[in-house]
Amino acid sequence: MFLWSVNRIVSSIEYKKSTDVRTVTARVIDYDIKSSDDEYDDYDEYVTKLSYEADGIKYTGKRIYYREVSIGDEKNVEVYLTPRGKYKMKGDDDPLTFLLACIGIPAGLLLTFIGGMVLVQIIVGHFKKPTGADEERIE
């Protein structure tokens, strides 16, 4: 989650600073259907793999659709030029996703810190020399 959060924020910053944003036609080259587990929501997510071309170079990206798709369907997608000179599909503008990305960074750091402290305690406890009181119990 931590890396996903960082990637979402970096992509958002790259998009805002991009000097070239354009809409291109992408073609569905593969998809996977994920059905809703909620009995009240009757929808399917179509997780698609799209192929698009920008400046004569072919790229691929992923996008979720909530309507039926087929291989070969054409979709208009917005792409932007990254600082590394490659084009990337614009991420979703869902505010909730961005908020989760922002929360994921400190949560990931906190969990990493706590996990590290637990590991240090385990390692220190394993290599700790027995004291006089511990030696009496050992015998």
Side-chain angles (χ1 to χ4, degrees):
M1 174 137 173
F2 174 74
L3 293 177
W4 172 81
S5 299
V6 171
N7 187 35
R8 290 282 301 164
I9 292 173
V10 168
S11 294
S12 176
I13 292 168
E14 283 181 348
Y15 173 77
K16 289 175 184 169
K17 290 185 174 185
S18 179
T19 57
D20 185 5
V21 177
R22 59 176 86 168
T23 301
V24 298
T25 302
R27 185 174 308 261
V28 177
I29 57 175
D30 195 16
Y31 66 91
D32 186 30
I33 302 172
K34 293 188 179 179
S35 297
S36 171
D37 293 334
D38 190 351
E39 62 184 74
Y40 301 108
D41 289 331
D42 187 25
Y43 68 90
D44 291 328
E45 285 184 356
Y46 292 82
V47 181
T48 62
K49 183 175 181 183
L50 302 171
S51 174
Y52 59 95
E53 188 174 313
D55 289 343
I57 300 172
K58 289 192 177 202
Y59 298 94
T60 59
K62 290 185 179 180
R63 178 69 36 100
I64 297 175
Y65 292 100
Y66 297 97
R67 294 189 181 123
E68 188 174 345
V69 297
S70 299
I71 292 177
D73 285 355
E74 292 184 345
K75 304 287 184 181
N76 289 329
V77 294
E78 194 171 18
V79 298
Y80 64 94
L81 184 64
T82 67
R84 292 174 294 289
K86 306 220 181 239
Y87 284 88
K88 190 173 176 182
M89 286 190 340
K90 179 184 180 211
D92 297 330
D93 285 335
D94 180 12
L96 179 61
T97 304
F98 187 76
L99 178 64
L100 288 174
C102 292
I103 292 171
I105 293 173
L109 290 173
L110 180 65
L111 289 174
T112 302
F113 177 76
I114 290 171
M117 293 301 294
V118 169
L119 286 174
V120 166
Q121 290 295 325
I122 291 170
I123 291 169
V124 167
H126 181 71
F127 291 108
K128 188 176 178 183
K129 291 184 180 181
T131 61
D134 291 334
E135 288 175 3
E136 289 176 10
R137 279 189 253 149
I138 294 174
E139 294 176 15

